[in-house]
Amino acid sequence: MSDATLPPFLAILLERLEEQEAMDLEFKAARGVLPKDIWPTVSAFANTRGGWLLLGIDESGRTPQVEGVRNPHQILQTLHD
């Protein structure tokens, strides 16, 4: 699939994954549970212009690595609760 055929949101997401964390971009691993350290990021985004909080991304290396999210429904429910 070429970049021209990607839905706009997905194209933006893939572009952001090639970047490093920034004021409006935060990566969290989310290995099976919602990371407890997301709340300062959520608060900061809420008090500024917003941002992208991407779960399932290992940020420990030089470049972010997509790991995926186990139990996405449970993580979403915890976030909503």
Side-chain angles (χ1 to χ4, degrees), residues 36-80:
K36 292 182 181 183
D37 65 345
I38 70 163
W39 301 114
T41 301
V42 170
S43 178
F45 286 169
N47 288 306
T48 61
R49 294 182 174 186
W52 290 68
L53 175 59
L54 302 178
L55 301 177
I57 311 295
D58 180 9
E59 76 275 18
S60 63
R62 293 187 78 185
T63 59
Q65 297 295 316
V66 176
E67 293 184 330
V69 175
R70 286 182 250 139
N71 305 321
H73 298 292
Q74 178 184 355
I75 288 175
L76 187 58
Q77 185 63 49
T78 303
L79 179 63
H80 286 182

